[in-house]
Amino acid sequence: MKIMRVESLTYGVEDIETGKRYYEDWGLTPVEQGKNGVDYALPSGQTIKLRNASDPSLPPAIEGGSTVRETVWGVDNAASLDAIGAELAKDQKLERDSEGGIRGKDPVGMTLTFRVAKSHPTEPHAPEKGMNRPFWPVDRVKPLRIGHAVFFTPSSKLKETSEFYTKRLGFRMTESVKQFGDFMRCAGSPDHHNLFLIAVGEKAGFNHVAFELNNFDEIMGGGKFMEGKGWKANTKPGRHIMGSNLFWYFKNPSGGATEYFSDMDVFDDNWQPKYHDKNPGYAHWMMS
Ligand SMILES: [Fe+2]
């Protein structure tokens, strides 16, 4: 059973026009628009969907306001999908969605759908320096793929929720910080994390989704473009300690935040999970 990646996120949003403007400024390409909302596709084949919060076909929210209503995980093949279905059916009633996905819930109540990944290999598209090829910075970025999603998980449910993902869905723990959260990667992914469960008191909800760019120039170019359009950054640009990725976060009107990232640490099965009693901290450096 191999889960490969975040395949799609579906938001229920209160102001769809503002939500659309944000994700288009962020660099996503709309592939379908109608009265129900808009779908964006990334070069990787992953998608982001915005729907009206009142759409009765949306799964229930785990928090108030605009937020992610469904997290879709992409798996490697149909046999994996069947294996996940058999595992989850032990203690929950599953549904089939219109695209052949299997839909259940995690212990916090987040709706999870599993589908065979529509995977396209992603190629870096940034201009590179070369002989007779002067560097030309990118002013409009196009995110390559979704790297990870992060959810607030009630402290009292963190252990149960992490074990649901690791023991039942095959996620691997990369780093775990006592009383702070767990960074996990899908069985089919080397990323430091594809899922981070962050525990802040008993809060449940969506925290952020991260989009990979080629390099730091793109993070700066994309972030400056967002600021120029009037969107508010949540942080300054910097480099994280856990995952060591470069980052810049912005507040998303559709719920939580979005992160531009690049250069994240990668791991294979030789890595032993790190358990920290003390939080190693947020960033190696962050601009002031
Ligand atoms: Fe992140």
Side-chain angles (χ1 to χ4, degrees), residues 148-150 183 193 196 207-211 240 245 247 249 258-261 264 282:
H148 57 268
V150 178
F183 294 90
H193 58 283
F196 173 38
N207 181 278
H208 75 267
V209 54
F211 296 86
H240 275 310
N245 49 298
F247 64 81
Y249 293 83
T258 53
E259 175 189 2
Y260 284 136
F261 82 98
M264 179 177 266
Y282 189 73

Side-chain angles (χ1 to χ4, degrees), residues 26 141 213 217-229 231 233 248 250 260:
W26 189 251
V141 298
L213 297 178
D217 283 295
E218 287 200 354
I219 293 176
M220 293 305 292
K224 288 283 177 198
F225 182 84
M226 291 299 281
E227 284 188 326
K229 290 285 183 179
W231 304 111
W248 198 357
F250 282 77
Y260 284 136

